[in-house]
Every structure is written in structure tokens, then in C-alpha cells.
């Protein structure tokens, strides 16, 4: 075991991430319009215990305190998303009061010496645009580019890093096919149209921002995975892994970095009409050069197409509902799992990063940032509210070691954002799954850094992982 600290390259960016709907609350204040998540949370059974983001962490009213917390944790950067419906309640008309909230937040961050890192879209489409077809409609991509330009006009003098979408796979497949995320639709053809229009929206926004600000750093965040065959000796398992890799990874990476959708995936979904929504020139817009790729990594999985070959519990990780319809399912490998039921597989992160560098980002000269990585566990606070979350701390440690190995392999990774700064509204799980470096007592809104948060603040300050066991 390594007995000296593992140092990261000078300038490695240490941060934490959040998303607007998960922390802001103030859902009906300051002229904010409704988003698809406000509406989805009212659907009976959609979210555990009918939780919603009406109050969440009340960050809208506590941003100054939360920025102080970030400074105390030695964070160099903060990745947050903008609520489109707060800034443009009907999706098109600017709301100065909503925009002013983000302008204040940016000023607070800069005053604390923290780099603001913007995600323009973390899943909360204005409901008014969903009513016109949502991401299944091409027009939404154009509205997104207009929104990007408006936000950049307001904040571009102070914010230099702009990312377009967070995890378009989730928006498209869980929102429009599985129906377990907003807007709750179960229409595979709409999900594929949404994939294309999300990517087109990304490309149109990049084009608009580039025109407005050629010096800005522009990128996108994808949730990527490593999909292994449960048994590499079985053709069905190899095909299962190919399908998951195709729809989760290559469906997004190939258009962005190569200007084409993967032929095998297009053939798999040929009956669902995706070809008809792709117009000439779209892929040129989608594949414009980027300045960074954000990677969210939580777990990799093994897959099979064999109906009942592997005894054991049902898997916890949803593959795309489209591949599930093809008979693909996840096979638990007996690895330890997090509170979400996700297998803990840090070596998968190294494999993923190395593959990205080899096949996509390396040839394009695009640096990688880990924009999310983290874990939910059942936290048990002591009488003072302190959580000694050794399992989460170990999760961060193991994954950062994997990042360090990738760096040694020559992969251009420039930073890491823990998910998440605060315990928050974990979508369909409501407030039951806690991912924070900092505990939130939802009764009092008190924030209490966990053991993992204190540990992470030392890692960020020293730009190094302590020696194993240290
Ligand atoms: C990611 C999301 C983030 C959070 C984590 C646990 O897929 O981007 O908002 O829910 O998962």
C-alpha cells in the first residue's frame, strides 16, 4: 500500500456540485415559473412520500451562508445549475428578479474566491415548453439556445465556464421513455427525438455562446458508464453490453466528437423513427469543438440477455428502458453497493477515463473534468448532528485514487466535483437518499459538515490524498 500522500497536478480543480431544483426551494417566489419537476412531483406516486422541491435546502434564501460553507470546505469551484423557469418563467420571457438571484450568487462566489461553474440545464424544463412538446419537439432546442444567450448576457462578464446540459441520457430516457423522471412520459420514439433535440440544443447554445464570447470555456456533462458482459464467453451477454454502451455512452459521445450517431444503435432503434428527426446539418451543429467534457460517474454494471442464467437478487441500476425492452438486464456481481443499490466499482472509473481519452477526448484535445461522483449511504447523526460517514469518505478516496491512476496513465483530467455539497432532493427518491458532504437537517435547515466533508476539505487544500490509512 502507498504510504506517502498522492499529489494531484498543480492547478487540479477541486469542487462540489448541486442542481437548482434539488437545493433552491422558493419554488413559487421571485416570479419563478413552473418546471416539469414541479408538475411531476404532484403526480401521485411519482416521488417517494410525495416529497418535492418547494423548500428543499432553502438555498435561494441562504446562498450567502452556503457560499461561506464552501469557502470553509476549501472548495476552489462550485458547479451549480440555473433554473430556466426562474429566469424565463414561460421559457422565453426574461424575469429580471430570477436572473438577479444568480447574479448575486456569482458575486458571492467570486468574493469568496470560488470559481463559478454553470450548468444551464439540469432537468427542469419550463412546463410551458413541455406543453408545446418538450424535448420531443425541435423548437425546444432553439428556445434553449435563446435562454443560454440571455443568461450569458447577464453573467458572462463574471462567469467563464459554461456547460450546456447535465446528463441528457437521463432527461431523454428516464423522462420520456421510462417515465420515472419528469415529464413522466413513456414513449420510446419521443425519447429518441428528445436525445436528438437535447444534443441539437447543446450545439445551438454552443454556437450562440461562441458568437457572444469567443474566449469562454464551453462544454457539456454526460453520465457515462462501463458496461461489461456478465459472461464474456456468451454472445448474448456481449450483445447486451454493446447495447448498453451504445445507448448510454456512444449515442452521445459519437455525435459530439465524431459528428455521427453510432450505426449499430441506429439499427437497433430503426423502428422508432429517429432518422426522421435528424435534419441535414444538425450533426455539424452538434459536433462543434468543445473546451471540456464533464463526466459524471457513479457505477458500472454487468449485463446479460439470458432470461435466467444468473441466480441472485434483481439488479439496482436501470439500463435504458429501450434496451430493457430488448431483453437486456443487469446482473449483480456481488460487489458492495451504495444506498441507491449501485455497485461500487472505482476501477471502472479508470477504465472509463482511459477509454474516453483514447477514443474521444484525446484525439480532439479536450480535457476531462469529473463533474459528479459520490454516494448515498444511510447517515446516522450523533446527538450534535454530526455524521461520521466513513463509507462515503472511503468511496471518495477510492474513486480519487482511480482518477490519480488515470492521470498517471496519461489521461488529461483537470478537476473533480463531489456530488454533492449538501444533502438534497434526490429526484424520485425525495429526501430519503443523502449524498451531501454536508448534512442538512431539513427541520431546521442547519448545515453540519460530515466526516467526508471535513476530509474532502483537507484533500482540496493540500491537492493530495492522504497516504492510505492516513
Ligand atoms: C446524477 C444527477 C444528480 C444526482 C446524482 C445522484 O445523475 O445528475 O442530480 O441526482 O445523480
Amino acid at each position: 500500500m502507498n504510504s506517502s500522500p498522492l499529489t494531484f497536478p498543480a492547478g487540479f480543480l477541486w469542487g462540489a456540485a448541486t442542481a437548482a431544483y434539488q437545493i433552491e426551494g422558493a419554488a413559487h417566489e421571485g416570479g419563478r415559473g413552473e418546471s416539469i419537476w414541479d408538475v411531476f412531483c404532484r403526480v401521485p406516486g411519482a416521488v417517494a412520500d410525495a416529497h418535492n422541491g418547494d423548500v428543499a435546502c432553502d438555498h435561494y434564501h441562504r446562498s450567502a451562508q452556503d457560499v461561506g460553507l464552501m469557502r470553509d470546505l476549501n472548495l476552489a469551484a462550485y458547479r451549480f445549475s440555473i433554473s430556466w423557469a426562474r429566469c424565463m418563467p414561460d421559457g422565453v420571457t426574461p424575469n429580471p428578479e430570477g436572473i438577479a438571484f444568480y447574479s448575486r450568487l456569482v458575486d458571492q462566489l467570486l468574493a469568496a474566491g470560488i470559481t463559478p461553474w454553470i450548468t444551464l440545464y439540469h432537468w427542469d424544463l419550463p412546463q410551458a415548453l413541455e406543453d408545446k412538446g418538450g424535448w420531443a419537439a425541435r423548437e425546444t432546442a432553439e428556445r434553449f439556445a435563446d435562454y443560454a444567450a440571455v443568461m450569458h448576457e447577464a453573467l458572462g462578464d463574471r462567469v467563464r465556464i459554461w456547460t450546456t446540459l447535465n446528463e441528457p441520457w437521463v432527461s431523454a430516457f428516464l423522462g420520456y421513455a421510462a417515465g420515472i423522471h419528469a415529464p413522466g412520459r413513456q414513449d420510446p420514439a419521443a425519447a429518441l427525438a428528445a436525445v436528438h433535440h437535447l444534443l441539437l440544443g447543446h450545439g445551438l447554445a454552443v454556437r450562440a455562446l461562441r458568437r457572444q464570447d469567443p474566449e469562454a470555456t464551453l462544454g457539456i456533462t454526460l453520465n457515462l458508464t462501463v458496461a461489461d458482459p456478465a459472461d464474456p464467453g456468451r454472445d448474448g451477454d456481449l450483445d447486451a453490453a454493446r447495447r448498453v454502451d451504445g445507448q448510454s455512452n456512444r449515442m452521445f459521445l459519437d455525435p459530439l466528437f465524431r459528428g455521427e450517431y453510432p450505426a449499430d444503435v441506429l439499427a437497433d432503434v430503426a423502428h422508432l423513427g429517429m432518422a426522421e428527426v435528424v435534419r441535414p446539418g444538425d450533426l455539424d451543429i452538434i459536433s462543434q469543438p468543445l473546451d471540456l467534457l464533464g463526466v459524471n460517474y457513479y457505477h458500472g454494471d454487468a449485463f446479460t440477455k439470458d432470461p435466467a442464467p444468473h441466480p441472485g437478487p434483481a439488479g439496482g441500476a436501470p439500463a435504458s428502458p429501450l434496451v430493457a425492452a430488448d431483453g437486456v438486464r443487469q446482473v449483480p456481481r456481488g460487489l458492495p453497493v451504495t444506498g441507491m443499490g449501485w455497485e461500487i466499482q472505482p476501477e471502472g472509473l479508470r477504465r472509463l477515463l482511459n477509454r474516453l481519452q483514447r477514443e474521444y477526448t484525446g484525439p480532439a484535445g479536450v480535457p476531462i473534468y469529473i463533474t459528479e461522483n459520490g454516494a448515498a449511504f444511510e447517515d446516522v447523526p450523533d446527538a450534535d448532528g454530526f455524521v461520521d460517514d466513513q463509507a462515503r469518505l472511503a468511496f471518495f478516496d477510492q474513486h480519487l485514487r482511480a482518477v490519480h491512476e488515470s492521470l498517471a496513465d496519461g489521461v488529461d483530467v483537470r478537476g473533480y466535483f463531489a456530488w454533492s455539497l449538501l444533502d438534497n432532493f434526490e429526484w424520485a427518491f425525495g429526501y430519503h437518499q443523502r449524498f451531501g458532504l454536508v448534512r442538512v437537517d431539513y427541520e431546521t435547515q442547519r448545515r453540519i459538515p460530515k466526516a467526508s466533508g471535513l476530509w474532502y476539505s483537507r484533500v482540496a487544500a493540500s491537492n493530495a490524498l492522504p497516504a492510505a490509512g492516513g
Side-chain angles (χ1 to χ4, degrees):
M1 274 250 143
N2 204 328
S3 59
S4 53
L6 278 186
T7 303
F8 282 73
F12 192 83
L13 193 65
W14 296 97
T18 63
Y21 191 68
Q22 295 183 272
I23 65 163
E24 283 180 7
H28 310 288
E29 277 178 56
R32 179 181 174 283
E34 288 218 303
S35 85
I36 54 176
W37 270 95
D38 296 300
V39 174
F40 186 66
C41 286
R42 293 199 290 264
V43 175
V47 174
D49 292 328
H51 288 167
N52 60 50
D54 280 2
V55 176
C57 306
D58 196 33
H59 170 74
Y60 183 77
H61 297 116
R62 296 167 194 264
S63 67
Q65 177 197 346
D66 289 339
V67 169
L69 197 54
M70 295 174 213
R71 194 195 42 222
D72 292 347
L73 291 176
N74 301 316
L75 302 185
Y78 174 51
R79 173 179 179 256
F80 62 97
S81 81
I82 291 177
S83 160
W84 185 348
R86 192 180 289 293
C87 295
M88 300 172 107
D90 59 0
V92 292
T93 315
N95 167 34
E97 195 177 346
I99 295 172
F101 165 70
Y102 296 102
S103 187
R104 274 196 309 278
L105 173 62
V106 164
D107 287 342
Q108 288 160 346
L109 289 166
L110 293 174
I114 298 168
T115 298
W117 176 300
I118 281 182
T119 302
L120 283 162
Y121 186 75
H122 200 126
W123 306 352
D124 44 359
L125 186 72
Q127 178 63 32
L129 296 183
E130 176 59 28
D131 293 342
K132 293 186 179 156
W135 287 110
R138 188 177 176 93
E139 215 190 295
T140 301
E142 285 158 23
R143 296 292 77 76
F144 179 68
D146 297 344
Y147 154 63
V150 165
M151 292 316 304
H152 182 275
E153 244 164 64
L155 309 176
D157 57 335
R158 288 157 291 156
V159 177
R160 307 308 302 137
I161 304 172
W162 293 78
T163 63
T164 54
L165 307 174
N166 176 71
E167 303 190 354
W169 179 90
V170 172
S171 299
F173 287 116
L174 300 189
Y176 288 83
I180 58 173
H181 273 216
R185 287 165 66 175
Q186 294 184 332
D187 177 348
L192 290 170
V195 167
H196 183 63
H197 296 141
L198 281 154
L199 287 168
L200 181 64
H202 155 82
L204 291 170
V206 166
R207 192 168 73 183
L209 296 178
R210 255 321 161 227
R211 278 191 192 137
Q212 232 158 278
D213 183 356
E215 305 300 320
T217 297
L218 306 180
I220 185 171
T221 279
L222 303 177
N223 55 312
L224 299 171
T225 191
V226 280
D228 292 323
D231 177 348
R234 281 190 182 143
D235 287 348
D237 292 10
L238 290 167
D239 189 57
R242 175 193 65 77
R243 284 170 189 262
V244 174
D245 178 55
Q247 281 185 26
S248 301
N249 299 328
R250 292 183 286 114
M251 185 73 150
F252 299 89
L253 290 163
D254 284 21
L256 288 165
F257 287 92
R258 298 179 180 163
E260 60 190 16
Y261 286 106
D264 62 317
V265 179
L266 287 184
D268 292 343
V269 300
H271 56 296
L272 291 170
M274 183 166 179
E276 281 100 80
V277 301
V278 182
R279 296 195 189 157
D282 284 0
L283 282 151
D284 293 335
I285 296 171
I286 292 170
S287 61
Q288 287 166 88
L290 295 178
D291 305 312
L292 66 86
L293 175 67
V295 175
N296 292 358
Y297 176 80
Y298 288 93
H299 54 89
D301 297 289
F303 294 93
T304 187
K305 267 169 75 180
D306 201 325
H310 304 278
S320 148
L322 272 66
V323 298
D326 294 331
V328 173
R329 63 189 187 84
Q330 188 222 336
V331 180
R333 287 171 288 196
L335 296 172
V337 296
T338 68
M340 299 288 279
W342 295 344
E343 288 189 345
I344 301 176
Q345 196 202 7
E347 65 80 26
L349 178 55
R350 179 185 186 181
R351 271 199 282 150
L352 172 65
L353 293 171
N354 291 19
R355 179 222 187 162
L356 289 172
Q357 169 93 8
R358 201 170 53 241
E359 296 183 22
Y360 296 99
T361 54
V366 173
I368 296 172
Y369 289 81
I370 312 292
T371 40
E372 287 180 28
N373 176 233
F377 288 106
E378 194 135 331
D379 288 339
V380 184
D382 69 14
D384 299 322
F386 179 73
V387 179
D388 188 17
D389 57 339
Q390 292 302 320
R392 185 177 292 104
L393 188 158
F395 182 98
F396 284 126
D397 182 74
Q398 290 163 4
H399 286 78
L400 283 165
R401 278 170 202 280
V403 172
H404 200 275
E405 284 167 1
S406 277
L407 284 163
D409 295 336
V411 182
D412 187 10
V413 189
R414 303 266 180 98
Y416 178 95
F417 291 80
W419 182 270
S420 180
L421 176 68
L422 303 169
D423 290 340
N424 60 43
F425 174 77
E426 179 48 36
W427 311 110
F429 297 89
Y431 295 95
H432 296 293
Q433 297 285 351
R434 292 174 178 267
F435 278 86
L437 294 169
V438 175
R439 180 174 179 83
V440 175
D441 176 338
Y442 294 114
E443 300 285 305
T444 62
Q445 290 295 348
R446 212 176 129 213
R447 276 86 160 122
I448 308 153
K450 303 177 192 176
S452 61
L454 300 175
W455 173 87
Y456 190 68
S457 72
R458 290 192 294 274
V459 171
S462 60
N463 195 35
L465 284 174

mmCIF file of all heavy atoms in Angstrom, residues 18-19 22 79 122-123 166-167 170 181 221 223 296 298 340 342 372 374-376 419-420 424-427 435, ligand 1:
data_model
loop_
_atom_site.group_PDB
_atom_site.id
_atom_site.type_symbol
_atom_site.label_atom_id
_atom_site.label_comp_id
_atom_site.label_asym_id
_atom_site.label_seq_id
_atom_site.Cartn_x
_atom_site.Cartn_y
_atom_site.Cartn_z
ATOM 1 N N THR A 18 -24.086 20.935 -7.271
ATOM 2 C CA THR A 18 -25.505 20.859 -6.878
ATOM 3 C C THR A 18 -26.340 21.097 -8.138
ATOM 4 O O THR A 18 -25.784 21.327 -9.220
ATOM 5 C CB THR A 18 -25.902 21.964 -5.864
ATOM 6 O OG1 THR A 18 -25.743 23.243 -6.501
ATOM 7 C CG2 THR A 18 -25.075 21.913 -4.590
ATOM 8 N N ALA A 19 -27.661 21.064 -7.973
ATOM 9 C CA ALA A 19 -28.554 21.447 -9.073
ATOM 10 C C ALA A 19 -29.713 22.259 -8.507
ATOM 11 O O ALA A 19 -30.137 22.040 -7.371
ATOM 12 C CB ALA A 19 -29.091 20.201 -9.777
ATOM 13 N N GLN A 22 -32.835 20.739 -6.878
ATOM 14 C CA GLN A 22 -32.525 19.883 -5.738
ATOM 15 C C GLN A 22 -32.224 20.673 -4.461
ATOM 16 O O GLN A 22 -32.287 20.102 -3.369
ATOM 17 C CB GLN A 22 -31.338 18.972 -6.079
ATOM 18 C CG GLN A 22 -31.674 17.996 -7.205
ATOM 19 C CD GLN A 22 -30.543 17.037 -7.520
ATOM 20 O OE1 GLN A 22 -29.685 17.356 -8.334
ATOM 21 N NE2 GLN A 22 -30.526 15.890 -6.887
ATOM 22 N N ARG A 79 -20.011 24.008 -8.889
ATOM 23 C CA ARG A 79 -20.830 23.715 -10.067
ATOM 24 C C ARG A 79 -22.300 23.742 -9.650
ATOM 25 O O ARG A 79 -22.718 22.956 -8.807
ATOM 26 C CB ARG A 79 -20.466 22.335 -10.623
ATOM 27 C CG ARG A 79 -21.367 21.849 -11.747
ATOM 28 C CD ARG A 79 -20.915 20.473 -12.265
ATOM 29 N NE ARG A 79 -21.779 19.992 -13.324
ATOM 30 C CZ ARG A 79 -22.715 19.041 -13.159
ATOM 31 N NH1 ARG A 79 -22.891 18.457 -12.001
ATOM 32 N NH2 ARG A 79 -23.466 18.669 -14.179
ATOM 33 N N HIS A 122 -30.229 21.396 -15.831
ATOM 34 C CA HIS A 122 -30.160 20.170 -15.015
ATOM 35 C C HIS A 122 -31.609 19.693 -14.815
ATOM 36 O O HIS A 122 -32.132 19.689 -13.706
ATOM 37 C CB HIS A 122 -29.449 20.459 -13.699
ATOM 38 C CG HIS A 122 -28.904 19.234 -13.003
ATOM 39 N ND1 HIS A 122 -27.587 19.111 -12.603
ATOM 40 C CD2 HIS A 122 -29.495 18.079 -12.624
ATOM 41 C CE1 HIS A 122 -27.401 17.938 -12.006
ATOM 42 N NE2 HIS A 122 -28.552 17.294 -12.000
ATOM 43 N N TRP A 123 -32.284 19.394 -15.933
ATOM 44 C CA TRP A 123 -33.525 18.615 -15.973
ATOM 45 C C TRP A 123 -34.829 19.360 -15.723
ATOM 46 O O TRP A 123 -35.889 18.750 -15.768
ATOM 47 C CB TRP A 123 -33.459 17.437 -14.989
ATOM 48 C CG TRP A 123 -32.283 16.553 -15.158
ATOM 49 C CD1 TRP A 123 -31.357 16.577 -16.160
ATOM 50 C CD2 TRP A 123 -31.888 15.490 -14.291
ATOM 51 N NE1 TRP A 123 -30.424 15.586 -15.957
ATOM 52 C CE2 TRP A 123 -30.722 14.910 -14.820
ATOM 53 C CE3 TRP A 123 -32.423 14.973 -13.116
ATOM 54 C CZ2 TRP A 123 -30.074 13.828 -14.213
ATOM 55 C CZ3 TRP A 123 -31.780 13.903 -12.512
ATOM 56 C CH2 TRP A 123 -30.613 13.328 -13.056
ATOM 57 N N ASN A 166 -26.801 18.802 -18.324
ATOM 58 C CA ASN A 166 -26.383 17.739 -17.420
ATOM 59 C C ASN A 166 -27.085 16.445 -17.831
ATOM 60 O O ASN A 166 -28.321 16.388 -17.851
ATOM 61 C CB ASN A 166 -26.775 18.060 -15.970
ATOM 62 C CG ASN A 166 -26.428 16.913 -15.029
ATOM 63 O OD1 ASN A 166 -25.255 16.673 -14.754
ATOM 64 N ND2 ASN A 166 -27.424 16.179 -14.556
ATOM 65 N N GLU A 167 -26.313 15.437 -18.189
ATOM 66 C CA GLU A 167 -26.818 14.080 -18.385
ATOM 67 C C GLU A 167 -28.048 13.987 -19.306
ATOM 68 O O GLU A 167 -29.139 13.612 -18.861
ATOM 69 C CB GLU A 167 -27.152 13.451 -17.026
ATOM 70 C CG GLU A 167 -25.982 13.410 -16.064
ATOM 71 C CD GLU A 167 -26.267 12.567 -14.813
ATOM 72 O OE1 GLU A 167 -27.409 12.113 -14.638
ATOM 73 O OE2 GLU A 167 -25.332 12.350 -14.023
ATOM 74 N N VAL A 170 -30.341 10.919 -19.071
ATOM 75 C CA VAL A 170 -31.390 10.844 -18.053
ATOM 76 C C VAL A 170 -32.621 11.615 -18.523
ATOM 77 O O VAL A 170 -33.750 11.120 -18.445
ATOM 78 C CB VAL A 170 -30.883 11.382 -16.700
ATOM 79 C CG1 VAL A 170 -32.035 11.494 -15.702
ATOM 80 C CG2 VAL A 170 -29.788 10.482 -16.139
ATOM 81 N N HIS A 181 -38.818 9.906 -14.386
ATOM 82 C CA HIS A 181 -38.422 11.298 -14.145
ATOM 83 C C HIS A 181 -39.398 12.181 -14.908
ATOM 84 O O HIS A 181 -40.067 11.722 -15.839
ATOM 85 C CB HIS A 181 -37.010 11.550 -14.691
ATOM 86 C CG HIS A 181 -35.922 11.219 -13.712
ATOM 87 N ND1 HIS A 181 -34.764 11.946 -13.624
ATOM 88 C CD2 HIS A 181 -35.812 10.248 -12.783
ATOM 89 C CE1 HIS A 181 -33.983 11.449 -12.678
ATOM 90 N NE2 HIS A 181 -34.595 10.399 -12.161
ATOM 91 N N THR A 221 -21.915 18.032 -19.828
ATOM 92 C CA THR A 221 -21.706 16.925 -18.886
ATOM 93 C C THR A 221 -22.549 15.722 -19.299
ATOM 94 O O THR A 221 -23.758 15.845 -19.500
ATOM 95 C CB THR A 221 -22.083 17.351 -17.447
ATOM 96 O OG1 THR A 221 -20.994 18.078 -16.870
ATOM 97 C CG2 THR A 221 -22.329 16.132 -16.565
ATOM 98 N N ASN A 223 -23.476 11.556 -18.324
ATOM 99 C CA ASN A 223 -23.322 10.448 -17.373
ATOM 100 C C ASN A 223 -22.883 9.237 -18.182
ATOM 101 O O ASN A 223 -23.577 8.797 -19.085
ATOM 102 C CB ASN A 223 -24.612 10.159 -16.605
ATOM 103 C CG ASN A 223 -25.802 9.887 -17.495
ATOM 104 O OD1 ASN A 223 -26.049 10.640 -18.434
ATOM 105 N ND2 ASN A 223 -26.526 8.823 -17.227
ATOM 106 N N ASN A 296 -19.893 12.476 -15.420
ATOM 107 C CA ASN A 296 -20.491 12.034 -14.165
ATOM 108 C C ASN A 296 -20.386 10.520 -14.107
ATOM 109 O O ASN A 296 -20.830 9.823 -15.029
ATOM 110 C CB ASN A 296 -21.974 12.428 -14.081
ATOM 111 C CG ASN A 296 -22.172 13.937 -13.976
ATOM 112 O OD1 ASN A 296 -21.200 14.691 -13.925
ATOM 113 N ND2 ASN A 296 -23.415 14.354 -13.950
ATOM 114 N N TYR A 298 -20.978 7.165 -11.518
ATOM 115 C CA TYR A 298 -21.439 6.592 -10.246
ATOM 116 C C TYR A 298 -21.171 5.095 -10.157
ATOM 117 O O TYR A 298 -20.849 4.582 -9.106
ATOM 118 C CB TYR A 298 -22.931 6.880 -10.038
ATOM 119 C CG TYR A 298 -23.174 8.340 -9.713
ATOM 120 C CD1 TYR A 298 -23.464 9.265 -10.721
ATOM 121 C CD2 TYR A 298 -23.048 8.802 -8.414
ATOM 122 C CE1 TYR A 298 -23.647 10.610 -10.419
ATOM 123 C CE2 TYR A 298 -23.231 10.143 -8.099
ATOM 124 C CZ TYR A 298 -23.531 11.039 -9.109
ATOM 125 O OH TYR A 298 -23.695 12.366 -8.796
ATOM 126 N N MET A 340 -28.218 3.571 -2.913
ATOM 127 C CA MET A 340 -29.033 3.530 -4.129
ATOM 128 C C MET A 340 -29.075 2.126 -4.729
ATOM 129 O O MET A 340 -29.745 1.903 -5.748
ATOM 130 C CB MET A 340 -28.472 4.485 -5.194
ATOM 131 C CG MET A 340 -28.440 5.943 -4.798
ATOM 132 S SD MET A 340 -30.066 6.713 -4.745
ATOM 133 C CE MET A 340 -30.346 7.079 -6.487
ATOM 134 N N TRP A 342 -26.388 0.864 -6.042
ATOM 135 C CA TRP A 342 -25.406 0.920 -7.135
ATOM 136 C C TRP A 342 -24.117 0.235 -6.715
ATOM 137 O O TRP A 342 -23.585 0.512 -5.616
ATOM 138 C CB TRP A 342 -25.114 2.380 -7.493
ATOM 139 C CG TRP A 342 -26.292 3.114 -8.061
ATOM 140 C CD1 TRP A 342 -27.443 2.571 -8.568
ATOM 141 C CD2 TRP A 342 -26.443 4.541 -8.171
ATOM 142 N NE1 TRP A 342 -28.297 3.568 -8.984
ATOM 143 C CE2 TRP A 342 -27.714 4.784 -8.755
ATOM 144 C CE3 TRP A 342 -25.634 5.622 -7.848
ATOM 145 C CZ2 TRP A 342 -28.181 6.080 -9.019
ATOM 146 C CZ3 TRP A 342 -26.103 6.905 -8.111
ATOM 147 C CH2 TRP A 342 -27.356 7.132 -8.699
ATOM 148 N N GLU A 372 -19.376 14.986 -11.541
ATOM 149 C CA GLU A 372 -20.102 14.389 -10.409
ATOM 150 C C GLU A 372 -19.530 13.014 -10.108
ATOM 151 O O GLU A 372 -19.254 12.225 -11.020
ATOM 152 C CB GLU A 372 -21.602 14.195 -10.699
ATOM 153 C CG GLU A 372 -22.414 15.449 -10.705
ATOM 154 C CD GLU A 372 -23.895 15.192 -10.986
ATOM 155 O OE1 GLU A 372 -24.403 14.088 -10.671
ATOM 156 O OE2 GLU A 372 -24.535 16.103 -11.533
ATOM 157 N N GLY A 374 -20.012 10.422 -6.328
ATOM 158 C CA GLY A 374 -20.363 10.437 -4.913
ATOM 159 C C GLY A 374 -21.282 9.278 -4.592
ATOM 160 O O GLY A 374 -21.543 8.423 -5.442
ATOM 161 N N ALA A 375 -21.760 9.239 -3.361
ATOM 162 C CA ALA A 375 -22.556 8.085 -2.940
ATOM 163 C C ALA A 375 -23.545 8.451 -1.843
ATOM 164 O O ALA A 375 -23.258 9.283 -0.977
ATOM 165 C CB ALA A 375 -21.625 6.986 -2.425
ATOM 166 N N ALA A 376 -24.700 7.798 -1.898
ATOM 167 C CA ALA A 376 -25.671 7.891 -0.805
ATOM 168 C C ALA A 376 -25.451 6.708 0.133
ATOM 169 O O ALA A 376 -25.211 5.587 -0.315
ATOM 170 C CB ALA A 376 -27.090 7.839 -1.366
ATOM 171 N N TRP A 419 -20.271 15.034 -5.725
ATOM 172 C CA TRP A 419 -21.728 15.151 -5.619
ATOM 173 C C TRP A 419 -22.092 14.635 -4.258
ATOM 174 O O TRP A 419 -21.905 13.467 -3.999
ATOM 175 C CB TRP A 419 -22.467 14.355 -6.712
ATOM 176 C CG TRP A 419 -23.939 14.584 -6.546
ATOM 177 C CD1 TRP A 419 -24.821 13.860 -5.795
ATOM 178 C CD2 TRP A 419 -24.700 15.670 -7.116
ATOM 179 N NE1 TRP A 419 -26.069 14.423 -5.832
ATOM 180 C CE2 TRP A 419 -26.018 15.540 -6.631
ATOM 181 C CE3 TRP A 419 -24.381 16.751 -7.947
ATOM 182 C CZ2 TRP A 419 -27.037 16.443 -6.984
ATOM 183 C CZ3 TRP A 419 -25.398 17.633 -8.289
ATOM 184 C CH2 TRP A 419 -26.697 17.469 -7.817
ATOM 185 N N SER A 420 -22.559 15.464 -3.362
ATOM 186 C CA SER A 420 -22.990 16.829 -3.606
ATOM 187 C C SER A 420 -22.535 17.694 -2.435
ATOM 188 O O SER A 420 -22.160 17.172 -1.395
ATOM 189 C CB SER A 420 -24.520 16.841 -3.713
ATOM 190 O OG SER A 420 -25.017 18.149 -3.941
ATOM 191 N N ASN A 424 -29.751 16.684 -0.407
ATOM 192 C CA ASN A 424 -30.754 17.448 -1.151
ATOM 193 C C ASN A 424 -31.853 16.559 -1.701
ATOM 194 O O ASN A 424 -31.919 15.363 -1.389
ATOM 195 C CB ASN A 424 -30.071 18.275 -2.251
ATOM 196 C CG ASN A 424 -29.307 17.403 -3.241
ATOM 197 O OD1 ASN A 424 -29.799 16.353 -3.658
ATOM 198 N ND2 ASN A 424 -28.099 17.821 -3.616
ATOM 199 N N PHE A 425 -32.713 17.156 -2.512
ATOM 200 C CA PHE A 425 -33.872 16.453 -3.093
ATOM 201 C C PHE A 425 -33.378 15.519 -4.185
ATOM 202 O O PHE A 425 -32.994 15.964 -5.264
ATOM 203 C CB PHE A 425 -34.849 17.492 -3.665
ATOM 204 C CG PHE A 425 -35.998 16.873 -4.417
ATOM 205 C CD1 PHE A 425 -37.061 16.290 -3.736
ATOM 206 C CD2 PHE A 425 -36.021 16.869 -5.812
ATOM 207 C CE1 PHE A 425 -38.112 15.709 -4.432
ATOM 208 C CE2 PHE A 425 -37.071 16.289 -6.510
ATOM 209 C CZ PHE A 425 -38.110 15.710 -5.823
ATOM 210 N N GLU A 426 -33.376 14.216 -3.883
ATOM 211 C CA GLU A 426 -32.819 13.258 -4.837
ATOM 212 C C GLU A 426 -33.928 12.719 -5.748
ATOM 213 O O GLU A 426 -34.292 11.552 -5.727
ATOM 214 C CB GLU A 426 -32.068 12.145 -4.078
ATOM 215 C CG GLU A 426 -31.451 11.050 -4.934
ATOM 216 C CD GLU A 426 -30.625 11.517 -6.134
ATOM 217 O OE1 GLU A 426 -29.930 12.538 -6.044
ATOM 218 O OE2 GLU A 426 -30.721 10.844 -7.176
ATOM 219 N N TRP A 427 -34.524 13.635 -6.526
ATOM 220 C CA TRP A 427 -35.477 13.282 -7.580
ATOM 221 C C TRP A 427 -36.543 12.302 -7.093
ATOM 222 O O TRP A 427 -37.155 12.562 -6.053
ATOM 223 C CB TRP A 427 -34.706 12.778 -8.823
ATOM 224 C CG TRP A 427 -33.586 13.731 -9.206
ATOM 225 C CD1 TRP A 427 -32.240 13.508 -9.092
ATOM 226 C CD2 TRP A 427 -33.703 15.085 -9.704
ATOM 227 N NE1 TRP A 427 -31.531 14.613 -9.510
ATOM 228 C CE2 TRP A 427 -32.391 15.592 -9.882
ATOM 229 C CE3 TRP A 427 -34.783 15.910 -10.029
ATOM 230 C CZ2 TRP A 427 -32.149 16.879 -10.359
ATOM 231 C CZ3 TRP A 427 -34.539 17.189 -10.510
ATOM 232 C CH2 TRP A 427 -33.249 17.662 -10.668
ATOM 233 N N PHE A 435 -26.651 12.469 -0.282
ATOM 234 C CA PHE A 435 -25.354 12.437 -0.975
ATOM 235 C C PHE A 435 -24.398 13.518 -0.468
ATOM 236 O O PHE A 435 -23.306 13.667 -1.004
ATOM 237 C CB PHE A 435 -25.557 12.683 -2.474
ATOM 238 C CG PHE A 435 -25.981 11.488 -3.294
ATOM 239 C CD1 PHE A 435 -27.317 11.137 -3.428
ATOM 240 C CD2 PHE A 435 -25.028 10.709 -3.949
ATOM 241 C CE1 PHE A 435 -27.710 10.047 -4.204
ATOM 242 C CE2 PHE A 435 -25.408 9.616 -4.724
ATOM 243 C CZ PHE A 435 -26.752 9.287 -4.852
HETATM 244 C C1 LIG B 1 -26.966 12.302 -11.141
HETATM 245 C C2 LIG B 1 -27.646 13.655 -11.173
HETATM 246 C C3 LIG B 1 -27.642 14.371 -9.847
HETATM 247 C C4 LIG B 1 -27.891 13.429 -8.694
HETATM 248 C C5 LIG B 1 -26.951 12.255 -8.778
HETATM 249 C C6 LIG B 1 -27.081 11.285 -7.626
HETATM 250 O O1 LIG B 1 -27.464 11.505 -12.156
HETATM 251 O O2 LIG B 1 -27.034 14.466 -12.137
HETATM 252 O O3 LIG B 1 -28.602 15.396 -9.911
HETATM 253 O O4 LIG B 1 -29.210 13.042 -8.685
HETATM 254 O O5 LIG B 1 -27.172 11.562 -9.974
#
